[in-house]
Amino acid sequence: MPESFTEDDAVLGRVIYQYNRFVNPGLARLLAFAGYGVEQRAEGCYLYDHTGRKFLDCLGGYGMFGLGHRHPRLIAAAKQALDEQPMPSKVFFSAHVGALAEKLAEITPGDLQFSFFCNSGTEAVEGAVKAARAASGRHGIISTHGGYHGKSFGSLSLTGREKFQKPFEPLLSGVKFVQFGDAAAVEKAVDGSIGAVIVEPIQGESGIHVPPEGYLREIRKICDERGIVFILDEVQTGFARTGDMFAMNHEQVVPDIATFAKGLSGGIVPIGAFMGTPKVWDALFGENPVVHTSTFGGGPLACRVALAAIEVIEEERLCENSSARGEQMLKGLQQVKNRFPELLSAVRGRGLMIGAEFAIDDAAELCIAQMVKRDVVAAYTLNNPRVIRFEPPLTINHAQVDEAVNVFGEAVAETAELVAAVNA
Ligand SMILES: Cc1ncc(COP(=O)(O)O)c(C=O)c1O
Protein backbone atom coordinates (compact mmCIF):
# COMPACT_ATOMS: atom_id res chain seq x y z
CA MET A 1 0.00 0.00 0.00
CA PRO A 2 1.30 3.49 -0.78
CA GLU A 3 1.90 5.65 2.28
CA SER A 4 -0.65 8.22 1.22
CA PHE A 5 -3.49 7.66 -1.19
CA THR A 6 -4.07 10.70 -3.43
CA GLU A 7 -7.08 11.84 -5.42
CA ASP A 8 -5.18 10.91 -8.60
CA ASP A 9 -4.69 7.37 -7.28
CA ALA A 10 -8.44 7.20 -6.65
CA VAL A 11 -9.22 8.28 -10.24
CA LEU A 12 -6.91 5.62 -11.70
CA GLY A 13 -8.06 2.97 -9.22
CA ARG A 14 -11.70 3.57 -10.12
CA VAL A 15 -11.08 3.18 -13.87
CA ILE A 16 -8.93 0.07 -13.39
CA TYR A 17 -11.74 -1.39 -11.25
CA GLN A 18 -14.26 -0.60 -14.03
CA TYR A 19 -12.01 -2.17 -16.69
CA ASN A 20 -11.57 -5.25 -14.50
CA ARG A 21 -15.26 -5.63 -13.76
CA PHE A 22 -16.96 -4.29 -16.89
CA VAL A 23 -14.56 -3.89 -19.83
CA ASN A 24 -11.66 -6.33 -20.20
CA PRO A 25 -9.46 -7.46 -17.28
CA GLY A 26 -6.63 -8.62 -19.57
CA LEU A 27 -6.53 -5.25 -21.30
CA ALA A 28 -6.44 -3.56 -17.88
CA ARG A 29 -3.31 -5.59 -17.03
CA LEU A 30 -1.65 -4.73 -20.37
CA LEU A 31 -2.25 -0.97 -20.02
CA ALA A 32 -1.18 -0.95 -16.38
CA PHE A 33 2.01 -2.89 -17.20
CA ALA A 34 2.98 -0.29 -19.80
CA GLY A 35 2.45 2.38 -17.15
CA TYR A 36 -0.47 4.23 -18.70
CA GLY A 37 -2.86 6.27 -16.54
CA VAL A 38 -6.21 7.73 -17.60
CA GLU A 39 -6.09 10.05 -20.58
CA GLN A 40 -7.71 13.36 -19.99
CA ARG A 41 -7.08 15.67 -22.92
CA ALA A 42 -4.93 16.10 -25.99
CA GLU A 43 -3.50 18.90 -28.08
CA GLY A 44 -1.09 18.95 -31.03
CA CYS A 45 1.51 16.21 -30.52
CA TYR A 46 0.79 15.87 -26.79
CA LEU A 47 -1.51 13.83 -24.57
CA TYR A 48 -2.24 14.63 -20.91
CA ASP A 49 -3.23 12.07 -18.28
CA HIS A 50 -5.39 12.39 -15.16
CA THR A 51 -2.49 13.82 -13.15
CA GLY A 52 -1.79 16.53 -15.73
CA ARG A 53 1.36 14.70 -16.90
CA LYS A 54 2.26 15.53 -20.50
CA PHE A 55 3.25 12.84 -23.02
CA LEU A 56 4.74 13.16 -26.51
CA ASP A 57 2.55 11.01 -28.77
CA CYS A 58 4.68 8.72 -30.94
CA LEU A 59 1.82 6.31 -31.61
CA GLY A 60 -0.72 8.72 -33.06
CA GLY A 61 -3.68 6.47 -32.14
CA TYR A 62 -2.24 3.66 -34.32
CA GLY A 63 -1.89 6.13 -37.17
CA MET A 64 -5.16 8.04 -36.99
CA PHE A 65 -3.90 11.36 -35.59
CA GLY A 66 -2.24 12.56 -38.77
CA LEU A 67 -3.01 16.20 -38.06
CA GLY A 68 -2.15 16.04 -34.38
CA HIS A 69 -4.78 16.17 -31.69
CA ARG A 70 -7.74 18.50 -32.07
CA HIS A 71 -6.54 20.49 -35.05
CA PRO A 72 -8.50 23.80 -34.87
CA ARG A 73 -9.74 23.53 -38.48
CA LEU A 74 -11.19 20.10 -37.78
CA ILE A 75 -12.77 21.23 -34.53
CA ALA A 76 -14.38 24.15 -36.40
CA ALA A 77 -15.70 21.83 -39.14
CA ALA A 78 -17.08 19.44 -36.51
CA LYS A 79 -18.74 22.28 -34.57
CA GLN A 80 -20.37 23.62 -37.71
CA ALA A 81 -21.72 20.16 -38.51
CA LEU A 82 -23.05 19.77 -34.96
CA ASP A 83 -24.77 23.16 -35.23
CA GLU A 84 -26.35 22.34 -38.58
CA GLN A 85 -26.78 18.56 -38.96
CA PRO A 86 -24.37 15.90 -37.70
CA MET A 87 -26.20 12.81 -38.96
CA PRO A 88 -28.11 12.43 -42.21
CA SER A 89 -31.72 11.47 -42.87
CA LYS A 90 -30.31 9.21 -45.59
CA VAL A 91 -33.17 10.04 -47.96
CA PHE A 92 -32.06 13.51 -49.08
CA PHE A 93 -28.99 14.20 -51.20
CA SER A 94 -25.96 15.13 -49.10
CA ALA A 95 -23.75 17.95 -50.37
CA HIS A 96 -21.02 16.72 -47.98
CA VAL A 97 -20.96 13.18 -49.37
CA GLY A 98 -20.75 14.64 -52.88
CA ALA A 99 -17.96 17.09 -51.98
CA LEU A 100 -15.81 14.52 -50.16
CA ALA A 101 -16.24 11.92 -52.90
CA GLU A 102 -15.27 14.50 -55.55
CA LYS A 103 -12.19 15.54 -53.56
CA LEU A 104 -11.11 11.90 -53.11
CA ALA A 105 -11.47 11.30 -56.85
CA GLU A 106 -9.29 14.40 -57.43
CA ILE A 107 -6.45 13.35 -55.09
CA THR A 108 -6.34 9.62 -55.84
CA PRO A 109 -4.56 8.49 -59.00
CA GLY A 110 -5.94 6.99 -62.22
CA ASP A 111 -9.55 5.94 -62.54
CA LEU A 112 -10.35 5.53 -58.85
CA GLN A 113 -13.50 7.61 -59.07
CA PHE A 114 -16.34 6.40 -56.85
CA SER A 115 -16.43 6.33 -53.02
CA PHE A 116 -18.49 4.50 -50.41
CA PHE A 117 -18.32 5.86 -46.86
CA CYS A 118 -18.42 3.75 -43.70
CA ASN A 119 -17.04 4.04 -40.17
CA SER A 120 -13.83 2.04 -39.81
CA GLY A 121 -11.02 0.29 -41.62
CA THR A 122 -12.44 -3.17 -41.24
CA GLU A 123 -15.76 -2.04 -42.72
CA ALA A 124 -13.95 -0.52 -45.68
CA VAL A 125 -12.26 -3.89 -46.29
CA GLU A 126 -15.58 -5.76 -45.97
CA GLY A 127 -17.05 -3.54 -48.68
CA ALA A 128 -13.96 -3.91 -50.86
CA VAL A 129 -14.20 -7.71 -50.71
CA LYS A 130 -17.87 -7.64 -51.72
CA ALA A 131 -17.07 -5.27 -54.59
CA ALA A 132 -14.22 -7.52 -55.74
CA ARG A 133 -16.46 -10.58 -55.75
CA ALA A 134 -19.11 -8.71 -57.71
CA ALA A 135 -16.55 -7.46 -60.24
CA SER A 136 -14.67 -10.73 -60.74
CA GLY A 137 -17.46 -13.25 -60.26
CA ARG A 138 -14.99 -15.38 -58.28
CA HIS A 139 -14.69 -15.85 -54.54
CA GLY A 140 -11.00 -16.70 -53.99
CA ILE A 141 -8.68 -14.04 -52.52
CA ILE A 142 -4.91 -13.91 -52.17
CA SER A 143 -3.68 -12.13 -49.04
CA THR A 144 -0.29 -11.98 -47.31
CA HIS A 145 1.23 -13.52 -44.19
CA GLY A 146 1.46 -10.87 -41.50
CA GLY A 147 -0.99 -8.63 -43.37
CA TYR A 148 -3.56 -6.79 -41.24
CA HIS A 149 -6.97 -5.89 -42.66
CA GLY A 150 -9.20 -5.77 -39.57
CA LYS A 151 -10.99 -8.11 -37.20
CA SER A 152 -14.58 -8.44 -38.46
CA PHE A 153 -15.21 -11.80 -40.12
CA GLY A 154 -14.42 -10.99 -43.76
CA SER A 155 -11.42 -8.82 -42.92
CA LEU A 156 -10.20 -11.25 -40.27
CA SER A 157 -10.18 -13.96 -42.95
CA LEU A 158 -7.55 -11.84 -44.74
CA THR A 159 -5.55 -10.89 -41.62
CA GLY A 160 -2.50 -13.13 -41.65
CA ARG A 161 -2.04 -13.97 -38.00
CA GLU A 162 -3.17 -17.33 -36.61
CA LYS A 163 -3.52 -16.00 -33.07
CA PHE A 164 -6.34 -13.68 -34.18
CA GLN A 165 -7.99 -16.13 -36.63
CA LYS A 166 -7.89 -19.51 -34.90
CA PRO A 167 -10.49 -18.93 -32.14
CA PHE A 168 -13.10 -17.85 -34.70
CA GLU A 169 -12.81 -20.40 -37.50
CA PRO A 170 -14.36 -21.25 -39.89
CA LEU A 171 -13.71 -17.94 -41.64
CA LEU A 172 -14.24 -17.02 -45.33
CA SER A 173 -13.26 -19.93 -47.56
CA GLY A 174 -10.95 -19.61 -50.54
CA VAL A 175 -8.33 -17.32 -48.96
CA LYS A 176 -4.69 -18.11 -49.80
CA PHE A 177 -1.77 -16.50 -47.94
CA VAL A 178 1.54 -15.78 -49.63
CA GLN A 179 4.78 -14.12 -48.54
CA PHE A 180 4.57 -10.31 -48.52
CA GLY A 181 7.00 -8.66 -50.96
CA ASP A 182 7.16 -11.67 -53.30
CA ALA A 183 5.15 -11.05 -56.49
CA ALA A 184 6.17 -14.45 -57.92
CA ALA A 185 4.39 -16.07 -54.95
CA VAL A 186 1.20 -14.22 -55.95
CA GLU A 187 1.53 -15.47 -59.52
CA LYS A 188 2.05 -19.04 -58.29
CA ALA A 189 -1.01 -18.90 -56.02
CA VAL A 190 -3.38 -17.79 -58.79
CA ASP A 191 -5.86 -20.44 -59.93
CA GLY A 192 -9.34 -20.36 -61.46
CA SER A 193 -10.97 -19.52 -58.12
CA ILE A 194 -9.01 -16.32 -57.45
CA GLY A 195 -10.96 -13.10 -58.00
CA ALA A 196 -8.92 -10.67 -55.92
CA VAL A 197 -5.51 -9.88 -54.45
CA ILE A 198 -5.34 -7.68 -51.36
CA VAL A 199 -2.13 -6.16 -49.99
CA GLU A 200 -1.02 -3.18 -47.94
CA PRO A 201 1.43 -1.01 -49.88
CA ILE A 202 3.58 -1.06 -46.73
CA GLN A 203 2.67 -3.72 -44.18
CA GLY A 204 1.94 -1.96 -40.90
CA GLU A 205 0.95 -4.41 -38.20
CA SER A 206 3.44 -7.09 -39.32
CA GLY A 207 6.14 -4.74 -38.05
CA ILE A 208 6.36 -2.00 -40.74
CA HIS A 209 7.65 -3.80 -43.82
CA VAL A 210 8.37 -1.84 -47.01
CA PRO A 211 8.21 -4.19 -50.03
CA PRO A 212 10.91 -4.26 -52.69
CA GLU A 213 10.60 -1.62 -55.42
CA GLY A 214 8.36 -2.86 -58.23
CA TYR A 215 6.30 -5.26 -56.04
CA LEU A 216 3.00 -3.41 -56.47
CA ARG A 217 3.60 -2.87 -60.21
CA GLU A 218 4.18 -6.61 -60.67
CA ILE A 219 0.97 -7.45 -58.80
CA ARG A 220 -0.87 -4.94 -60.99
CA LYS A 221 0.48 -6.73 -64.08
CA ILE A 222 -0.53 -10.18 -62.78
CA CYS A 223 -4.04 -8.92 -61.98
CA ASP A 224 -4.39 -7.33 -65.43
CA GLU A 225 -3.26 -10.48 -67.21
CA ARG A 226 -5.52 -12.79 -65.18
CA GLY A 227 -8.62 -10.59 -64.85
CA ILE A 228 -8.19 -10.28 -61.08
CA VAL A 229 -9.31 -7.33 -58.94
CA PHE A 230 -6.41 -5.58 -57.18
CA ILE A 231 -7.30 -4.19 -53.73
CA LEU A 232 -4.79 -1.89 -52.04
CA ASP A 233 -5.43 -1.46 -48.33
CA GLU A 234 -4.32 2.11 -47.54
CA VAL A 235 -6.14 2.23 -44.20
CA GLN A 236 -2.88 2.87 -42.36
CA THR A 237 -0.66 4.26 -45.12
CA GLY A 238 -3.07 6.80 -46.59
CA PHE A 239 -3.20 10.57 -46.15
CA ALA A 240 0.49 11.52 -46.04
CA ARG A 241 1.56 8.91 -43.50
CA THR A 242 4.38 7.62 -45.72
CA GLY A 243 5.47 10.98 -47.15
CA ASP A 244 3.11 11.00 -50.13
CA MET A 245 -0.66 11.46 -50.03
CA PHE A 246 -0.98 7.69 -50.67
CA ALA A 247 1.67 4.97 -50.49
CA MET A 248 0.54 3.68 -53.91
CA ASN A 249 1.95 6.90 -55.39
CA HIS A 250 5.53 5.82 -54.57
CA GLU A 251 5.21 3.14 -57.26
CA GLN A 252 2.65 5.00 -59.34
CA VAL A 253 0.30 2.04 -59.18
CA VAL A 254 -3.48 2.32 -59.40
CA PRO A 255 -5.53 -0.50 -57.86
CA ASP A 256 -9.12 -1.36 -58.84
CA ILE A 257 -10.21 -0.77 -55.25
CA ALA A 258 -8.54 1.19 -52.43
CA THR A 259 -9.53 1.22 -48.76
CA PHE A 260 -9.06 4.12 -46.33
CA ALA A 261 -9.82 5.02 -42.67
CA LYS A 262 -7.53 6.17 -39.81
CA GLY A 263 -6.00 9.44 -41.14
CA LEU A 264 -9.01 10.24 -43.34
CA SER A 265 -10.66 12.45 -40.72
CA GLY A 266 -7.53 13.44 -38.79
CA GLY A 267 -8.74 11.50 -35.75
CA ILE A 268 -11.75 13.67 -34.91
CA VAL A 269 -14.59 11.37 -35.96
CA PRO A 270 -14.69 7.75 -37.17
CA ILE A 271 -14.79 7.36 -40.92
CA GLY A 272 -13.72 4.73 -43.42
CA ALA A 273 -14.09 4.53 -47.18
CA PHE A 274 -13.48 2.30 -50.12
CA MET A 275 -13.03 3.65 -53.61
CA GLY A 276 -13.37 1.87 -56.91
CA THR A 277 -13.14 2.33 -60.65
CA PRO A 278 -16.31 2.82 -62.75
CA LYS A 279 -16.07 -0.84 -63.78
CA VAL A 280 -16.01 -2.06 -60.17
CA TRP A 281 -18.84 0.30 -59.19
CA ASP A 282 -21.00 -0.85 -62.06
CA ALA A 283 -20.50 -4.48 -61.01
CA LEU A 284 -21.30 -3.69 -57.35
CA PHE A 285 -24.11 -1.17 -57.62
CA GLY A 286 -25.22 -1.42 -61.28
CA GLU A 287 -28.27 -3.57 -60.63
CA ASN A 288 -29.02 -2.54 -57.06
CA PRO A 289 -27.78 0.80 -55.66
CA VAL A 290 -28.53 -0.29 -52.09
CA VAL A 291 -26.90 -3.71 -52.23
CA HIS A 292 -24.26 -2.39 -49.79
CA THR A 293 -25.21 0.28 -47.21
CA SER A 294 -24.36 1.73 -43.79
CA THR A 295 -26.71 3.71 -41.54
CA PHE A 296 -24.00 5.90 -40.00
CA GLY A 297 -21.65 5.93 -43.00
CA GLY A 298 -21.39 9.19 -44.93
CA GLY A 299 -22.80 11.41 -42.18
CA PRO A 300 -22.26 15.17 -42.54
CA LEU A 301 -20.12 15.34 -39.37
CA ALA A 302 -17.63 12.77 -40.66
CA CYS A 303 -17.62 14.00 -44.27
CA ARG A 304 -17.12 17.67 -43.37
CA VAL A 305 -14.26 16.87 -41.00
CA ALA A 306 -12.64 14.54 -43.56
CA LEU A 307 -12.82 17.19 -46.27
CA ALA A 308 -11.24 19.74 -43.90
CA ALA A 309 -8.54 17.18 -42.97
CA ILE A 310 -7.55 16.70 -46.62
CA GLU A 311 -7.42 20.49 -47.14
CA VAL A 312 -5.18 20.87 -44.08
CA ILE A 313 -2.84 18.11 -45.31
CA GLU A 314 -2.51 20.00 -48.59
CA GLU A 315 -2.26 23.53 -47.14
CA GLU A 316 0.17 22.66 -44.33
CA ARG A 317 2.26 20.57 -46.74
CA LEU A 318 2.15 17.58 -44.43
CA CYS A 319 3.43 15.18 -47.11
CA GLU A 320 6.69 17.16 -47.10
CA ASN A 321 6.85 17.24 -43.29
CA SER A 322 6.08 13.51 -43.06
CA SER A 323 8.91 12.82 -45.48
CA ALA A 324 11.50 15.14 -43.88
CA ARG A 325 10.72 14.33 -40.25
CA GLY A 326 10.46 10.66 -41.20
CA GLU A 327 14.01 10.71 -42.61
CA GLN A 328 15.25 12.48 -39.48
CA MET A 329 13.55 9.94 -37.22
CA LEU A 330 14.70 6.93 -39.25
CA LYS A 331 18.30 8.17 -39.11
CA GLY A 332 18.11 8.83 -35.37
CA LEU A 333 16.58 5.42 -34.61
CA GLN A 334 19.19 3.72 -36.80
CA GLN A 335 21.90 5.38 -34.70
CA VAL A 336 20.27 3.92 -31.58
CA LYS A 337 20.25 0.50 -33.28
CA ASN A 338 23.96 0.86 -34.03
CA ARG A 339 24.60 1.40 -30.29
CA PHE A 340 22.65 -1.75 -29.37
CA PRO A 341 23.18 -4.17 -32.28
CA GLU A 342 22.43 -7.24 -30.18
CA LEU A 343 19.15 -5.99 -28.80
CA LEU A 344 17.79 -4.12 -31.85
CA SER A 345 17.74 -6.16 -35.04
CA ALA A 346 16.24 -3.63 -37.49
CA VAL A 347 14.89 -0.12 -37.98
CA ARG A 348 12.87 0.47 -41.13
CA GLY A 349 9.99 2.43 -42.61
CA ARG A 350 8.96 5.27 -44.86
CA GLY A 351 7.76 8.75 -43.95
CA LEU A 352 6.37 8.76 -40.42
CA MET A 353 5.59 5.03 -40.42
CA ILE A 354 8.66 3.49 -38.83
CA GLY A 355 9.31 0.29 -36.90
CA ALA A 356 12.15 -0.66 -34.55
CA GLU A 357 12.49 -4.43 -34.17
CA PHE A 358 13.94 -6.15 -31.12
CA ALA A 359 15.92 -9.38 -31.46
CA ILE A 360 14.21 -11.09 -28.52
CA ASP A 361 10.64 -11.58 -27.31
CA ASP A 362 9.21 -9.25 -24.63
CA ALA A 363 11.99 -6.64 -25.00
CA ALA A 364 9.71 -4.28 -26.96
CA GLU A 365 7.15 -4.39 -24.15
CA LEU A 366 9.83 -3.60 -21.56
CA CYS A 367 11.12 -0.77 -23.72
CA ILE A 368 7.64 0.69 -24.18
CA ALA A 369 7.25 0.81 -20.38
CA GLN A 370 10.59 2.68 -20.20
CA MET A 371 9.43 5.14 -22.87
CA VAL A 372 6.16 5.76 -21.03
CA LYS A 373 8.17 6.33 -17.84
CA ARG A 374 9.97 9.08 -19.81
CA ASP A 375 6.70 10.64 -21.06
CA VAL A 376 6.60 9.23 -24.59
CA VAL A 377 3.58 7.22 -25.79
CA ALA A 378 4.41 4.10 -27.82
CA ALA A 379 3.02 0.65 -28.68
CA TYR A 380 4.04 -2.45 -30.59
CA THR A 381 2.62 -3.63 -33.93
CA LEU A 382 -0.41 -5.92 -33.59
CA ASN A 383 0.91 -8.85 -35.67
CA ASN A 384 4.47 -8.56 -34.38
CA PRO A 385 5.00 -7.69 -30.71
CA ARG A 386 8.78 -7.45 -31.23
CA VAL A 387 8.37 -4.18 -33.15
CA ILE A 388 7.78 -0.74 -31.62
CA ARG A 389 6.01 1.49 -34.10
CA PHE A 390 6.67 5.21 -34.53
CA GLU A 391 3.62 6.87 -36.08
CA PRO A 392 3.48 10.35 -34.52
CA PRO A 393 1.25 13.14 -35.83
CA LEU A 394 2.48 14.35 -39.22
CA THR A 395 2.74 17.83 -37.69
CA ILE A 396 5.65 16.76 -35.45
CA ASN A 397 8.62 19.19 -35.53
CA HIS A 398 12.40 18.77 -35.57
CA ALA A 399 12.87 19.19 -31.81
CA GLN A 400 10.07 16.74 -30.99
CA VAL A 401 11.60 14.09 -33.26
CA ASP A 402 14.95 14.60 -31.48
CA GLU A 403 13.18 14.23 -28.14
CA ALA A 404 11.49 10.98 -29.24
CA VAL A 405 14.78 9.53 -30.51
CA ASN A 406 16.66 10.50 -27.31
CA VAL A 407 14.00 8.96 -25.12
CA PHE A 408 14.01 5.80 -27.23
CA GLY A 409 17.82 5.61 -26.85
CA GLU A 410 17.56 5.92 -23.04
CA ALA A 411 14.71 3.37 -22.94
CA VAL A 412 16.68 0.85 -25.01
CA ALA A 413 19.71 1.32 -22.74
CA GLU A 414 17.60 0.59 -19.67
CA THR A 415 15.94 -2.36 -21.41
CA ALA A 416 19.40 -3.76 -22.22
CA GLU A 417 20.30 -3.55 -18.53
CA LEU A 418 17.07 -5.27 -17.49
CA VAL A 419 17.58 -8.06 -20.03
CA ALA A 420 21.19 -8.51 -18.87
CA ALA A 421 20.04 -8.69 -15.23
CA VAL A 422 17.43 -11.35 -16.06
CA ASN A 423 20.01 -13.40 -17.97
CA ALA A 424 22.75 -13.03 -15.34
C1 LIG B 1 -4.01 -1.83 -43.18
C2 LIG B 1 -5.17 -1.89 -42.23
N1 LIG B 1 -6.37 -2.29 -42.69
C3 LIG B 1 -7.44 -2.35 -41.89
C4 LIG B 1 -7.35 -2.02 -40.55
C5 LIG B 1 -8.56 -2.10 -39.67
O1 LIG B 1 -8.96 -0.83 -39.31
P1 LIG B 1 -9.97 -0.61 -38.08
O2 LIG B 1 -9.20 -0.88 -36.83
O3 LIG B 1 -10.40 0.83 -38.21
O4 LIG B 1 -11.10 -1.55 -38.27
C6 LIG B 1 -6.11 -1.61 -40.03
C7 LIG B 1 -5.97 -1.27 -38.61
O5 LIG B 1 -4.90 -1.18 -38.05
C8 LIG B 1 -5.00 -1.55 -40.90
O6 LIG B 1 -3.79 -1.16 -40.44
Side-chain angles (χ1 to χ4, degrees), residues 62 119-123 125 148-151 200 204-205 233-236 259 261-262 382 389:
Y62 292 83
N119 311 283
S120 65
T122 199
E123 258 187 276
V125 172
Y148 190 92
H149 301 288
K151 286 181 179 149
E200 296 154 82
E205 301 303 330
D233 184 346
E234 290 251 15
V235 163
Q236 188 157 170
T259 53
K262 294 196 190 267
L382 286 178
R389 62 204 302 152

Side-chain angles (χ1 to χ4, degrees), residues 98 205 292 404 423:
E205 301 303 330
H292 187 72
N423 293 332

Side-chain angles (χ1 to χ4, degrees), residues 12-319:
L12 180 58
R14 176 93 194 134
V15 178
I16 291 178
Y17 162 79
Q18 288 164 331
Y19 267 58
N20 276 323
R21 284 293 305 274
F22 309 113
V23 182
N24 184 335
L27 183 61
R29 275 193 299 279
L30 262 183
L31 298 176
F33 177 81
Y36 287 116
V38 183
E39 65 187 350
Q40 202 83 8
R41 66 187 182 89
E43 185 127 26
C45 291
Y46 294 99
L47 289 153
Y48 298 79
D49 77 1
H50 65 291
T51 67
R53 208 173 130 197
K54 182 179 174 185
F55 294 82
L56 179 63
D57 185 3
C58 275
L59 173 60
Y62 292 83
M64 78 166 132
F65 294 117
L67 278 58
H69 295 272
R70 299 175 54 253
H71 191 288
R73 276 277 293 281
L74 305 191
I75 298 289
K79 281 185 173 161
Q80 211 180 342
L82 288 172
D83 284 344
E84 290 174 17
Q85 187 199 24
M87 274 296 165
S89 72
K90 306 296 281 191
V91 293
F92 288 77
F93 283 106
S94 165
H96 310 296
V97 165
L100 180 59
E102 185 176 19
K103 184 69 182 174
L104 285 170
E106 179 200 314
I107 62 170
T108 49
D111 53 354
L112 287 172
Q113 181 183 328
F114 289 96
S115 291
F116 177 92
F117 299 115
C118 50
N119 311 283
S120 65
T122 199
E123 258 187 276
V125 172
E126 296 287 342
V129 168
K130 284 173 73 177
R133 278 196 177 183
S136 69
R138 299 188 294 277
H139 80 289
I141 304 174
I142 295 173
S143 187
T144 53
H145 294 296
Y148 190 92
H149 301 288
K151 286 181 179 149
S152 53
F153 267 96
S155 311
L156 179 62
S157 309
L158 310 169
T159 286
R161 190 173 184 209
E162 210 182 273
K163 201 170 175 171
F164 292 144
Q165 286 194 331
K166 205 81 195 153
F168 306 105
E169 288 176 345
L171 301 173
L172 278 187
S173 62
V175 180
K176 288 186 180 181
F177 286 94
V178 299
Q179 205 58 39
F180 181 70
D182 182 357
V186 172
E187 174 115 63
K188 232 166 105 187
V190 172
D191 60 29
S193 73
I194 297 298
V197 175
I198 182 166
V199 294
E200 296 154 82
I202 294 173
Q203 265 193 347
E205 301 303 330
S206 70
I208 319 287
H209 286 99
V210 183
E213 168 76 27
Y215 175 60
L216 302 180
R217 276 197 300 275
E218 282 178 54
I219 295 181
R220 177 70 274 177
K221 191 161 161 267
I222 295 163
C223 289
D224 285 342
E225 286 168 0
R226 311 291 287 262
I228 293 167
V229 175
F230 185 13
I231 307 170
L232 263 181
D233 184 346
E234 290 251 15
V235 163
Q236 188 157 170
T237 50
F239 302 98
R241 176 56 54 194
T242 69
D244 205 319
M245 187 60 98
F246 302 106
M248 58 182 135
N249 295 351
H250 296 299
E251 276 200 34
Q252 292 174 346
V253 162
V254 185
D256 303 293
I257 300 172
T259 53
F260 306 111
K262 294 196 190 267
L264 174 52
S265 80
I268 295 281
V269 286
I271 183 169
F274 67 96
M275 291 186 72
T277 62
K279 197 169 153 202
V280 166
W281 237 244
D282 189 44
L284 180 61
F285 290 117
E287 282 187 17
N288 181 356
V290 289
V291 73
H292 187 72
T293 54
S294 160
T295 301
F296 287 130
L301 175 61
C303 290
R304 289 174 87 147
V305 172
L307 188 58
I310 295 169
E311 286 166 3
V312 171
I313 291 171
E314 290 176 333
E315 287 163 24
E316 294 188 8
R317 305 171 73 89
L318 293 183
C319 290

